[in-house]
Every structure is written in C-alpha cells, then in structure tokens.
Amino acid sequence: MFWKQSRFILALGFVLVLGLLLSVAAVGLREMKLINRRLQGVINQNSLRTNLVFTMHFAARERALLLFSMALTQDPFSRENQFTRFNQLATEFTVAHQQLLAMRLSPDEKVILARQSRLIAKSEFQQRRVADFIMTGKIAKANALLLSTTVPAQNAVLKQLRDLLTLQLRIGQEEVSREEHSYHYAYLYIFSLGTLAVILCTFVALFVIRRVTRVEDALFREKELAETTLHSIADAVMTVDVAGNVDYTNRVTEQMTGWDAAHTQGLPLRQALDILDEKTRKPIELMVVPGAPDGPIVDFPRHSILRHKNGNEFVIDGAASAIRDRTGRAIGSILVFRDVTQAHLLAQQLTWQATHDPLTGLANRREFERELAQLINSAKALGKHHALLYIDLDQFKVVNDTCGHVAGDELLRQLATILGQRLRGSDILARLGGDEFGVLLEGCPGEQARRIANNLLDAVRDFRFAWLDKVFEIGLSVGLVAIDSDSHDVANILSAADEACYTAKDNGRNRVHVYHPNDHDVVQRHGEMRWIARIGSALEDKRFRLYYQTISPLAVPTTAAYYEILLRMLDEEGNVVLPMAFIPAAERYRMMPSIDRWVIRTLFNTQGPSLRDHVDQFDGTTRPLCAINLSGTSIGDDSFRDFVQDQIVIHRIPPEAICFEVTETAAITNLNKASRFMHELKDIGCRFALDDFGTGMSSFAYLKHLPVDFLKIDGSFVSDMAHDPVDFALVEAINRIGHVLGIHTVAESAESEVILEKLRDLGVDYVQGSVIHAPEMLLKFPKQHGSVKRSIPKSL
C-alpha cells in the first residue's frame, strides 16, 4: 500500500510538471500570436484612418486654392478645367469622409467628425456660391465672398481635420501601449508558469528523496518491530522455506519445544516439532505440500499435542499459510500456533456440563437422546438389538415434601450410584429430569434387558434412604422398550418408554413393564392421549355444558335441598360425553385446573344460568346453594385458590352458598395442601364435602385434620346396602362417625325406595341419586325443594 501511494504521487508530480511545461509553451505561442495580430490590426487601422484624414485635408486645401486660382485665371478653358478639378476634389473629400465614418471610431473621433460635418456643409455651400460667381464672371463678388466667409470656413474645416489627426495619433499610441502591456502580462504569465514548473519539479525531487528516506526508515522499523513482536507475542511462530526446512523460530517456539533457534535452523519441520494426535497419541509428521495450488503450505492439524524435549505436553491450536513475494510467488510457509491447554480443559469442562447432569454427574437428556439416535441408526444399518429403560422413582415426592429438596437431591445422587453399579460398562445411565432416569443398553436383547431391569428393581428395593430421624423405602417403575431395525425416531421411542413406565405405575408401581405396540394398557394410555386433544378442542370451541342433580334432605322436613353441579362434554357431532370418559385423562395430564376454572367462571358469570341471579334463594342456613367438584391438582395449586377468591369477590357470591367437593383420595394424596386450601376458603365462609368417602385408606384418621362439612358416602356401598350386610354396616359406621364429628352425611347412588328407607332409618342427612333426581342441563337455575317425602317424585 505504501509503495502504491508513493508511485501514484510521483507519477502525478511528473504529469503535472510536464503539463505545466506544455502549458507554458502553448500559452506563450498563443499569446504572442494574438498580440502580434492585434498590433498589426492597430497599425493597419491607424494607417487607414490617417490616410483618409490626409485625403480629406488635401482635398479641402486644394479646393480652396483652386477657388483663388479660378478667380485669377482669365482663360475660360483653364478656368473650366480648374472647376472640373474642384468638383473631383469634392468627390474625393466626400468619399474619404464616408469611409472614415464607416470605420470603428472612438467617441471623441465621432464628436469631431460630427462637428466637421456641420462645418463642411456650410463651407461647401459658400464654395459653391464662389464658384458660381467666378464661372458667371462676377469676379469681384466672388473675391469678396471668398475672403469674407469662404476662407474662414475652410480654415475651420482644416483645423478640425488637424485635430482629428492629432486625436488619431494619440489613440494609436494608446492602443500600442495596451498591446505592449498585454505583451508584458503574457511574459509574466509565461514566467509564472515556468517558475511554478520549476518549483513543482523541485517539490517532486524533494518528495522522492523524502519518500525514499521514509521507505528506508519504515523498512528498518518494520523489521525491528516484526522481530520484537515475534519475540514478544504469546504465539509460537515458525517459518519454513519451500523445501520444508526451518528458517526462523521465535522465543515462544523455543520455550514450547525446548530447542533454541540455532538448533532448529535448517532442520526439516518434522524433526523440529514433536507433535502427537490428541486422541490416538500417535506421532504426526508435519509435511510441506510444495505443489499445492496456493503455493507450498503445511498441513497443520487442529488441537494436536506438542511434546517438549523434557516430556511436557501442550495442547496446541495453530494455522499455516504461504509466504509470497511481491510478484505473488510462494517462497515458503509460516506456522503460528499457541498453547490452548487451559482453554481446551475449559472447553472439555463446558462440554461435560452441556452433556451431563450437574447434580448426579450422569448424562443429561440431550446427551441421552444423542446416544439413543446413534443406537437407532446402528440397529437399522447393522441389525443390532438394543434396549431402553425409562425409570421413574415411586416415593421421591414423599421424600421431597417431607424432608425438603436437599434430601431429595441427596436421594438422587445415591440412587445414581446404586443404579450405575448394577449396569455394564457399555451401558449409558442418564438423568432425564426430576426423578426420571434413562438407561441405554447397547447390544442387549429383550430378555437380558428385562433381567438388568429387574436387577435395578432389586437393588433399589433393598436400599433404605435415611435422612435425619426418618428412613424411606424407595421403589422404581420401569418402562422397557426394545430398539431394533423396526424402531422409529427418538421421539417415538421415548414416548413409548414413557407410556410403558406410567403403565408400570398404574399397575401397582415397583415393577417393569415391557412395551408392546398392541398392549392393552398402552392402548389405553394412547386413548387418554387422544382425549387430551379432544378436551383442549372442547374448551376452545365451548363444547362443555353444566348439569345439576338435586341433593335432598332425608331427616329434617324443613331443610331445603341443594344441588351438585355436574359436567358434560359434547363431542364433535354434538353427542353428550359423560365425565368418566375424559376426566381420567384430564387428571393424569393435569388439564383439570383449566376445566375447574371454566366451571367456576361459567357458573359465577352474570350471563346465562347464573348463580348470582339466584342468591336470593339462599337463606344462609347450614346447607349451601350448590356443590362444585374440584380435582386434586386444583386444590394443590395456590394460584387456583386465589382465582376462586377473586371470582367470589368479582361476582358478589356469598361464600356460604358454595360447597366444594373434593374426593377422599385427592385430599389424602395432597393432605398438607388440601388442608391449607380448605382452611383458607373455610375462613371466608365456603363449605367442603369429602366425596367418595370410604374408598381410601385410613379415612377416619384423616377426618380430624380436614375442615369438612359433608361426608359423601361412596355409592359402591350405598347401591348394595339393601342386600349386603357388610355394605350396610359400612354405611352405618360412616354415618355414625360423621355425626360424632359433627359432619353432615350424604348418601350417593340412591337408586330405589328400599335404599331410601334404610338410609332414613340410619339417620343419613342427605340423599342423592336417580330415584330422587336424574341430572339435567343447567338451562336455568332450579328452585329450592324441601326434604324427600314418602311419595318419591320422578324428578325435581
């Protein structure tokens, strides 16, 4: 770049000098020619004007003399010739006068000629009279007129002509003087251009000298800077010639190899550097490729290991490129490499962190899926058989809720160690998230995979997790999926493994379930998965409907009935779908909070069959106005509790008019959260019923911890109590315990009058069933009814 700029400036300077010299010659010649041309024109013009004035002066003087001669001449013939000459001179005077007027004249000349014209006209008239007197013989009159007027007039004309000659002489001198000035200016201009050319030539010469000096200094500085830089930078630098022999090494190269520059000078590159392959640990010989299209280059591998002469090793990263001369010809190669040992270790650490779970040290889900994809490819390409185990801990939530997340983390770490000890060296154990683990069994047929899975179950079954003063038994639910040539992609295999794992949970936990495409349990889960899409579509398309069923009092005639709000779904053809078809899927896949919110929002809303419009039917007694079912997922969600309170406030619903029904199983499973949910809503006035009571475990013990207003005896006991003494005894016991605790009892599934009589004999407070009232769509809010009479209406 520097040389390109210098050459450009030098060329520009010489072009300017040459241009100035040519301009001086061209301008000088042109100006001289113009000055000569103008000067010749001035001379010609002045000569012509002078000649014309002399002609006029001569003609005027001769005519005056001819008049005197004619007056003295006695010979008529001579007088006639003189008269002819007199007229010729008048003509010459007039012609000269006209030519002079036609020329380019100055204002002063025009003034003199104008004045002269008036004098000539007057003199011509008098001369004509004198000539006429002479030609007619009146000599005395002619002489008198000639002396008195003609001669003075003629003298005035001659004086004007002399003034004109004087003026023309002065104008000619001025024009010549101007041309002399022009000549002087042209000379100065040419001299200036010449001087400028000399100065420019001097400047170019000085510039050339200065540039040459600067180039020499710059080259020296660059050489010193290059050498200093090469010795100061943290990168190792080597140069080799076209044959691959070392020309130069900097200080860092000496430090990394252990050899000084004098030792490596002239050595082949493969002898100067001892480089190993990072993975195979085999020596790598750096070779120069002299015939490469881009010139001789060195094939420099990335992330190799450079071995010092004392045995120390460095992970290096470098590059090589050709060295070229000014013509572009390759004259060697330069190698630049650096010690990246620390960066390499950090990269390995980051890679490990990106592919491993930080808590357990196992592979993470991303790495697990990558390894799974490789096994799928090998199964399809080579016909190999592999297996995948999807593991879910059965009691992890209990440990987490009871002892905290620190205990849960420690449990995961211990289980990771236990599981890893029971696996083969080629197997891959990964934590997929939360309390879920995955195992890839490479080259493992189905029966062997099942034995390994059972070994994992046995190992965890024998394990006891101790935390502080508590000891926990842990179980596993394992889904096993075979990987063979018929396997699909990663997503399908993981989905199948997840389904098999949850099928193991549904079948009693702590067991292995092998995935088969036509497995009834798996098909059932597939059906539940399809229900999820249908539920979402129904919510979006507003295809849920509210129904209600009367809950009537049995014992107290004055007590009014209340109503349970039921849910139905319309399918795509408008057919009614009962809750048991879609509620299990919604509960399993945590869609119930959305459904529960829809129920409450729709029921409380001011449009349609609104609860708010019928608050006036509520008398504030012990019975509520309506009962609303809630799922276990909803009562464990703090935001749902806030939602319920907001809806009550927004729609101005008396909390005492609402009774929330929670199943016994949901309450016991989420006992702490259920208790907190119930107590907070109970504090503002809401009521609670424990639904399906009697189907759970230790039901009576949990009753003391829950603020329940109603016990709903499960219909499986009520429907057969007329014929089964055990069911009768269970209903009797539940009713008695409820009354002892001050809780109202409600019998579900009352389907006959015989059952009603037995319930009344036992003192059950409320009854619900088709014998009382079949569920109806909530088109308008029903009126309140009293207790059940002997005569049972078909419907209320």
Side-chain angles (χ1 to χ4, degrees):
M1 188 66 182
F2 175 77
W3 279 108
K4 288 183 179 179
Q5 292 178 349
S6 300
R7 288 197 297 270
F8 173 75
I9 295 174
L10 288 174
L12 180 62
F14 284 119
V15 167
L16 290 176
V17 170
L18 182 60
L20 283 174
L21 292 175
L22 292 176
S23 298
V24 169
V27 171
L29 291 175
R30 185 175 62 84
E31 289 297 322
M32 292 302 178
K33 187 181 291 185
L34 290 176
I35 291 171
N36 289 334
R37 188 181 301 166
R38 289 198 301 270
L39 190 58
Q40 187 64 40
V42 169
I43 293 172
N44 292 337
Q45 287 288 324
N46 287 339
S47 297
L48 180 59
R49 285 200 298 267
T50 302
N51 289 335
L52 291 175
V53 172
F54 274 117
T55 300
M56 292 169 60
H57 187 276
F58 175 77
R61 185 175 59 81
E62 286 297 317
R63 288 186 70 190
L65 293 175
L66 282 174
L67 287 177
F68 281 108
S69 179
M70 285 172 61
L72 295 175
T73 300
Q74 298 297 324
D75 185 10
F77 293 103
S78 297
R79 186 181 295 160
E80 186 65 31
N81 289 334
Q82 291 176 347
F83 183 71
T84 301
R85 176 63 179 160
F86 175 79
N87 289 329
Q88 288 177 348
L89 290 171
T91 301
E92 291 177 2
F93 183 91
T94 302
V95 171
H97 186 265
Q98 293 298 325
Q99 290 179 351
L100 185 61
L101 288 175
M103 295 181 69
R104 183 172 58 85
L105 301 174
S106 67
D108 293 338
E109 288 177 314
K110 290 179 180 179
V111 170
I112 293 174
L113 286 176
R115 189 163 53 243
Q116 187 185 53
S117 297
R118 291 192 297 272
L119 293 174
I120 289 173
K122 181 179 178 182
S123 175
E124 178 66 22
F125 173 74
Q126 292 173 352
Q127 286 179 352
R128 287 292 179 186
R129 286 184 64 193
V130 170
D132 288 341
F133 285 147
I134 293 173
M135 293 304 293
T136 57
K138 300 177 181 180
I139 300 301
K141 285 185 176 183
N143 287 330
L145 182 60
L146 183 63
L147 293 173
S148 62
T149 58
T150 302
V151 171
Q154 188 66 23
N155 289 334
V157 170
L158 292 175
K159 181 179 181 304
Q160 291 297 318
L161 289 174
R162 288 192 298 272
D163 292 342
L164 184 58
L165 283 173
T166 302
L167 179 60
Q168 287 179 344
L169 179 61
R170 180 172 60 83
I171 290 173
Q173 291 175 346
E174 291 176 353
E175 290 180 349
V176 170
S177 178
R178 279 199 300 272
E179 294 304 324
E180 289 178 349
H181 283 295
S182 297
Y183 178 82
H184 179 69
Y185 291 146
Y187 173 78
L188 289 178
Y189 179 71
I190 293 170
F191 178 79
S192 298
L193 287 179
T195 304
L196 182 60
V198 172
I199 293 173
L200 188 58
C201 287
T202 305
F203 173 77
V204 171
L206 292 175
F207 175 78
V208 171
I209 295 172
R210 185 178 179 185
R211 279 288 175 172
V212 170
T213 304
R214 290 179 61 185
V215 166
E216 292 176 350
D217 294 341
L219 289 175
F220 178 78
R221 286 196 304 271
E222 287 183 4
K223 179 183 177 182
E224 290 296 317
L225 179 62
E227 292 186 357
T228 303
T229 302
L230 291 175
H231 281 81
S232 301
I233 63 176
D235 292 348
V237 180
M238 298 182 69
T239 61
V240 296
D241 57 20
V242 292
N245 298 322
V246 176
D247 281 336
Y248 170 83
T249 58
N250 69 346
R251 184 176 294 109
V252 178
T253 307
E254 296 174 1
Q255 294 171 354
M256 294 181 68
T257 61
W259 303 108
D260 56 22
H263 176 80
T264 56
Q265 180 75 30
L267 285 179
L269 184 60
R270 62 179 177 273
Q271 297 180 15
L273 294 179
D274 184 11
I275 296 182
L276 306 177
D277 184 273
E278 181 184 10
K279 294 183 178 179
T280 65
R281 303 288 300 178
K282 293 182 178 180
I284 298 175
E285 291 189 1
L286 297 180
M287 300 295 293
V288 176
V289 186
D294 294 330
I297 60 172
V298 176
D299 185 13
F300 201 100
R302 287 176 55 85
H303 295 301
S304 305
I305 295 177
L306 174 64
R307 187 157 53 191
H308 192 275
K309 72 176 184 179
N310 63 9
N312 293 337
E313 294 182 351
F314 305 93
V315 180
I316 59 173
D317 184 19
S321 60
I323 303 174
R324 303 180 184 278
D325 60 14
R326 294 178 59 185
T327 63
R329 182 174 60 90
I331 58 175
S333 299
I334 182 170
L335 287 73
V336 180
F337 53 93
R338 65 183 64 87
D339 179 9
V340 294
T341 305
Q342 294 300 321
H344 188 66
L345 293 175
L346 179 59
Q348 288 181 329
Q349 181 180 356
L350 292 176
T351 301
W352 188 92
Q353 292 176 351
T355 57
H356 289 75
D357 173 50
L359 177 64
T360 61
L362 303 177
N364 60 14
R365 189 180 190 95
R366 178 185 299 175
E367 180 66 9
F368 184 82
E369 291 180 355
R370 189 185 68 82
E371 294 287 348
L372 174 58
Q374 292 181 358
L375 292 186
I376 294 172
N377 292 335
S378 70
K380 291 182 177 180
L382 305 176
K384 292 186 176 181
H385 293 271
H386 315 293
L388 184 150
L389 304 182
Y390 198 98
I391 302 171
D392 186 88
L393 304 186
D394 290 334
Q395 301 299 324
F396 179 73
K397 190 174 186 303
V398 175
V399 175
N400 238 8
D401 292 346
T402 305
C403 301
H405 293 290
V406 176
D409 291 346
E410 179 59 26
L411 171 61
L412 292 175
R413 282 191 288 266
Q414 293 186 21
L415 284 176
T417 302
I418 293 172
L419 295 176
Q421 292 172 347
R422 295 298 182 101
L423 295 174
R424 303 171 303 172
S426 60
D427 299 334
I428 296 175
L429 174 63
R431 183 188 177 201
L432 304 183
D435 60 344
E436 297 174 344
F437 294 85
V439 180
L440 290 177
L441 304 175
E442 184 176 0
C444 187
E447 285 302 321
Q448 183 181 359
R450 191 180 185 98
R451 285 196 300 271
I452 293 175
N454 286 323
N455 287 337
L456 297 180
L457 284 180
D458 293 340
V460 174
R461 188 182 295 115
D462 295 339
F463 169 69
R464 297 294 181 270
F465 177 67
W467 186 262
L468 300 180
D469 59 342
K470 297 181 176 63
V471 178
F472 298 90
E473 294 184 8
I474 308 300
L476 301 181
S477 295
V478 182
L480 191 157
V481 178
I483 303 172
D484 52 28
S485 58
D486 296 327
S487 298
H488 296 289
D489 55 15
V490 171
N492 286 330
I493 291 179
L494 285 176
S495 176
D498 178 68
E499 291 173 359
C501 177
Y502 276 93
T503 302
K505 276 186 174 295
D506 293 342
N507 291 339
R509 302 172 183 264
N510 205 28
R511 65 189 61 214
V512 178
H513 187 89
V514 181
Y515 173 82
H516 299 289
N518 298 322
D519 192 323
H520 171 73
D521 293 331
V522 174
V523 170
Q524 180 181 356
R525 286 186 57 80
H526 271 298
E528 291 178 349
M529 293 294 293
R530 286 194 295 270
W531 270 114
I532 297 305
R534 296 182 65 185
I535 292 171
S537 175
L539 280 172
E540 184 176 349
D541 298 339
K542 297 181 174 58
R543 286 190 281 107
F544 279 104
R545 297 292 182 268
L546 293 182
Y547 279 62
Y548 74 96
Q549 187 176 29
T550 302
I551 300 176
S552 295
L554 276 175
V556 184
T558 59
T559 302
Y562 68 101
Y563 307 93
E564 180 180 1
I565 302 301
L566 306 175
L567 183 66
R568 302 291 187 268
M569 187 178 82
L570 301 181
D571 63 15
E572 290 77 2
E573 287 76 30
N575 300 316
V576 176
V577 180
L578 295 177
M580 289 310 297
F582 60 86
I583 289 296
E587 287 180 338
R588 181 185 299 275
Y589 294 100
R590 297 181 176 275
M591 294 192 69
M592 282 308 300
S594 298
I595 296 175
D596 290 344
R597 288 171 187 261
W598 181 88
V599 170
I600 291 175
R601 190 182 295 111
T602 304
L603 184 65
F604 287 8
N605 195 6
T606 55
Q607 299 178 356
S610 170
L611 178 63
R612 177 71 189 90
D613 296 337
H614 300 276
V615 171
D616 56 347
Q617 300 182 29
F618 178 62
D619 57 10
T621 60
T622 57
R623 63 101 183 98
L625 183 61
C626 67
I628 303 171
N629 289 280
L630 295 181
S631 68
T633 309
S634 296
I635 63 175
D637 185 356
D638 292 338
S639 64
F640 182 81
R641 181 180 65 249
D642 297 336
F643 167 79
V644 172
Q645 292 175 335
D646 291 342
Q647 292 296 311
I648 290 175
V649 173
I650 290 172
H651 299 290
R652 303 193 308 277
I653 304 297
E656 297 81 3
I658 304 299
C659 177
F660 291 109
E661 293 191 4
V662 181
T663 64
E664 178 191 7
T665 302
I668 294 174
T669 303
N670 304 277
L671 183 61
N672 292 333
K673 291 185 177 180
S675 178
R676 185 167 62 252
F677 180 89
M678 290 182 177
H679 278 96
E680 291 193 13
L681 291 183
K682 183 81 172 177
D683 289 342
I684 66 173
C686 295
R687 325 272 181 108
F688 283 91
L690 204 58
D691 200 8
D692 300 335
F693 189 78
T695 58
M697 299 176 62
S698 305
S699 302
F700 296 117
Y702 283 111
L703 276 179
K704 295 185 293 182
H705 303 287
L706 298 174
V708 176
D709 300 281
F710 297 89
L711 278 183
K712 298 191 74 173
I713 306 171
D714 188 70
S716 62
F717 305 137
V718 177
S719 60
D720 290 334
M721 64 178 292
H723 310 288
D724 190 334
V726 175
D727 287 343
F728 183 88
L730 285 172
V731 172
E732 182 181 19
I734 294 172
N735 181 66
R736 184 179 298 113
I737 293 297
H739 288 169
V740 169
L741 295 174
I743 301 173
H744 296 286
T745 55
V746 180
E748 300 178 307
S749 300
E751 308 297 339
S752 67
E753 187 174 354
V754 175
I755 292 176
L756 284 179
E757 290 297 333
K758 289 185 176 295
L759 292 172
R760 183 178 288 107
D761 293 341
L762 291 176
V764 174
D765 300 310
Y766 291 88
V767 65
Q768 179 181 5
S770 59
V771 71
I772 302 298
H773 177 218
E776 295 183 39
M777 184 181 294
L778 188 61
L779 298 176
K780 64 178 181 177
F781 216 82
K783 293 182 179 181
Q784 299 283 296
H785 296 278
S787 61
V788 180
K789 305 295 182 182
R790 286 285 182 180
S791 139
I792 305 298
K794 293 183 180 178
S795 133
L796 292 176

